[in-house]
């Protein structure tokens, strides 16, 4: 089994290097831009020499600044970064009118109603949670927050997101410290985590992504310790946050699958039965808890059965090329709502309709290889080269007056109405994204060279990334949903940058001799 472990690890590292190379090239050649007009129409632009020159100069500037920052104590860097986040977060929170929109608003309304013993969100056919029971975990968690802070205290939800952002950076630092045990890498990681601005702008998007990300990081912190010592406290520390993350935000099931793979690989090396138990138990508990939640709401709302929209409908929409709303192929085009209304919520009919659309699309893909390549190329690029990952777009957008969102202040208006500040943020973030992908790629290439000594845990980040790429190639895609995958690449990026800096220092030292 040891040979299987080594071969599997090598193949995963090779694949990870290729995937990161593809992402690095994509971000270097393209950038995806979303206008703040409420359309969610992603525009793919070809990068030119101007952006490449700016990127190169910015990278050199970052490396130069890092040389000085690395002389500072780690606690000081974290304190300054946290202060920066608190100031920016405070500005964002107090310069908008506390109005959510779309699904995040529906989740909030459902949570408020349920706290008032109003079960209209489970009304057959038209109730939000009746149609989308996968949101029940998030709604339940928000019910707790609203109970603590008050049903009308939306700012409290924003502040929870803000504090979780800072905690995320701290946990990612602790994970990196356990993984690499190099103070320079840890400091670079802290700088990068606070420079990754989509993380802070997402505080105004109350939709469970931040809650789940914090729990995932907590789980990973205990997982890396469990792999090392197999202690029960780390077993439980890995298990509970992971289960809660998936209950709150079902997309994090991809992290549960990632941890499953890592634990099986580690089992091939250590033969510990605890690995098998920890690999399987999350899926059992997730299924049980989801079942208990749904059953409890069925009884309370007196609804016989909550089936919801069949998941296959999102696959059909993700493979569709419907020009509705003029969005790119595979992006949201209202198919899930339209097919639900068309068949009055009938699960079998919706499933059959979705299967027909999928079969039709697969037939089109097989007969038109050039079209197929462009379809998935555009879907991939538009998802993974949006450097802000819709973090600003998902916040208060005054171009959608139906929900009454508004902002105040010149800087806030410039950011959220697509002004110069918004454009500067996009170009800045485009360069940061290039750095993240290239740095992570360098890290994996180094792992190939040091295959026998590289830590198994580094594959957590790239297996999770692989899952995200594959998932959004077939599922409905939005760039806002993939930012956690990129954020979790930062430890690898920090390692790659540190290696690059060491190479430069070595060459400079040799020349001075």
């Amino acid at each position: 089994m040891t040979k299987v472990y080594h071969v599997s690890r090598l193949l995963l590292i090779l694949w990870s290097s290729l995937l990161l190379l593809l992402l690095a090239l994509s971000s270097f050649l393209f950038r995806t831009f979303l206008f703040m007009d409420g359309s969610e129409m992603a525009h793919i632009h070809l990068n030119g020499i101007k952006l490449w020159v700016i990127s190169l100069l910015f990278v050199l500037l970052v490396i130069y600044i890092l040389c000085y920052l690395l002389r500072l104590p780690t606690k000081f860097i974290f304190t300054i970064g946290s202060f920066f986040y608190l100031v920016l977060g405070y500005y964002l929170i107090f310069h908008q009118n506390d109005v959510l929109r779309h699904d995040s608003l529906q989740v909030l309304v459902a949570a408020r109603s349920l706290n008032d013993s109003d079960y209209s969100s489970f009304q057959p056919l038209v109730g939000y949670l009746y149609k989308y029971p996968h949101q029940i975990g998030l709604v339940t968690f928000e019910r707790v927050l609203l109970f603590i802070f008050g049903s009308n205290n939306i700012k409290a939800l924003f502040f929870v997101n803000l504090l979780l952002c800072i905690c995320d950076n701290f946990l990612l630092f602790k994970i990196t410290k356990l993984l690499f045990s190099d103070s320079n890498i840890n400091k670079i990681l802290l700088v990068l985590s606070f420079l990754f601005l989509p993380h802070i702008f997402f505080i105004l998007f109350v939709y469970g992504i931040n809650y789940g990300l914090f729990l995932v990081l907590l789980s990973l912190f205990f997982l890396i310790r469990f792999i090392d010592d197999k202690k029960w406290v780390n077993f439980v520390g890995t298990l509970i946050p992971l289960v809660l993350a998936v209950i709150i935000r079902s997309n994090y099931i991809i992290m549960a699958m990632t941890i499953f793979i890592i634990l099986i690989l580690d089992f091939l090396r250590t033969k510990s039965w605890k690995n098998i138990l920890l690999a399987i138990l999350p899926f059992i508990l997730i299924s049980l808890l989801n079942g208990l939640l749904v059953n409890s709401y069925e009884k309370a709302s007196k609804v016989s059965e909550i089936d919801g929209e069949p998941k296959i409908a999102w696959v059909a929409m993700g493979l569709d090329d419907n020009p509705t709303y003029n969005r790119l192929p595979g992006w949201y085009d209202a198919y899930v709502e339209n097919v639900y209304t068309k068949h009055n919520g009938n699960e079998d009919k919706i499933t059959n309709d979705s299967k027909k659309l999928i079969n039709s699309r697969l037939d089109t893909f097989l007969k038109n290889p050039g079209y197929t390549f462009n379809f998935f190329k555009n879907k991939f690029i538009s998802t993974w080269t949006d450097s802000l990952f819709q973090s600003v777009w998902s916040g208060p957008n005054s171009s959608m007056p139906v929900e009454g969102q508004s902002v105040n202040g010149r800087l806030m208006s410039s950011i959220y109405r697509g002004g110069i500040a918004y454009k500067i943020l996009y170009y800045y973030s485009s360069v940061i994204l290039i750095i993240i992908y290239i740095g992570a790629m360098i890290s994996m290439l180094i792992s190939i060279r040091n295959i026998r000594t590289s830590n198994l845990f580094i594959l957590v980040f790239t297996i999770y990334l692989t899952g995200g790429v594959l998932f959004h190639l077939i599922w409905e895609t939005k760039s806002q949903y993939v930012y956690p995958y990129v954020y979790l690449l930062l430890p690898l990026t920090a390692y790659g940058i540190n290696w690059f800096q060491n190479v430069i220092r070595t060459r400079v030292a040799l020349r001075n001799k």
Side-chain angles (χ1 to χ4, degrees), residues 142-279:
E142 266 192 32
R143 288 183 66 183
V144 176
L145 294 179
L146 293 177
F147 177 79
I148 295 171
F149 298 112
S151 61
N152 295 315
N153 193 356
I154 307 304
K155 276 186 170 57
L157 301 182
F158 296 147
F159 272 110
V160 168
N161 276 344
L162 173 58
L163 293 176
L164 288 180
C165 278
I166 296 172
C167 291
D168 288 345
N169 289 349
F170 177 75
L171 282 172
L172 199 61
F173 159 73
K174 297 294 287 186
I175 291 168
T176 306
K177 188 176 180 180
L178 289 171
L179 185 58
F180 296 117
S181 300
D182 186 314
S183 61
N184 283 348
I185 296 175
N186 300 332
K187 291 175 183 178
I188 293 171
L189 178 279
L190 279 177
V191 174
L192 288 174
S193 64
F194 285 108
L195 289 179
F196 187 61
L197 294 186
H199 198 43
I200 182 68
F201 281 105
F202 266 123
I203 66 172
L204 300 183
F205 184 49
V206 184
Y207 197 46
I209 297 179
N210 284 1
Y211 309 148
L213 181 57
F214 168 76
L215 290 167
V216 159
L217 285 164
L218 193 59
S219 179
L220 291 178
F221 170 72
F222 285 105
L223 175 64
I224 192 171
R225 295 172 62 173
F226 173 79
I227 289 175
D228 183 54
D229 60 25
K230 309 300 182 198
K231 290 182 178 179
W232 283 110
V233 64
N234 295 320
F235 181 103
V236 175
T238 302
L239 177 64
I240 294 177
L242 178 63
V243 170
L244 290 176
V246 179
I247 295 294
I248 291 171
R249 195 79 198 133
S250 58
N251 283 13
Y252 286 112
I253 192 69
I254 297 174
M255 178 54 80
M257 296 168 67
T258 298
I259 290 175
F260 175 89
I261 293 170
I262 291 296
L263 288 169
I264 295 302
L265 284 173
D266 187 56
F267 170 78
L268 295 175
R269 179 175 61 90
T270 63
K271 315 297 189 300
S272 172
W273 63 271
K274 288 183 181 179
N275 281 47
I276 302 298
L277 183 61
L278 184 54

Side-chain angles (χ1 to χ4, degrees), residues 274-346:
K274 288 183 181 179
N275 281 47
I276 302 298
L277 183 61
L278 184 54
I280 297 173
L281 201 52
F283 299 98
I284 298 173
L285 291 178
I286 289 164
S287 179
L288 287 173
L289 287 175
N290 273 327
L292 287 172
L293 277 175
V294 172
N295 288 336
S296 66
Y297 282 116
E298 284 176 345
K299 290 179 180 179
S301 62
K302 298 179 182 179
V303 175
S304 58
E305 190 174 3
I306 302 172
D307 293 323
E309 183 93 47
K311 297 295 187 291
I312 195 172
W314 275 274
V315 177
M317 184 164 65
L319 297 176
D320 202 5
D321 193 4
N322 191 327
T324 305
Y325 306 131
N326 296 315
R327 293 173 182 172
L328 288 180
W331 284 63
Y332 175 85
D333 65 5
Y335 173 78
V336 291
E337 281 79 16
N338 293 337
V339 73
Y340 189 89
T341 303
K342 177 182 176 183
H343 297 294
N344 293 316
N346 186 291

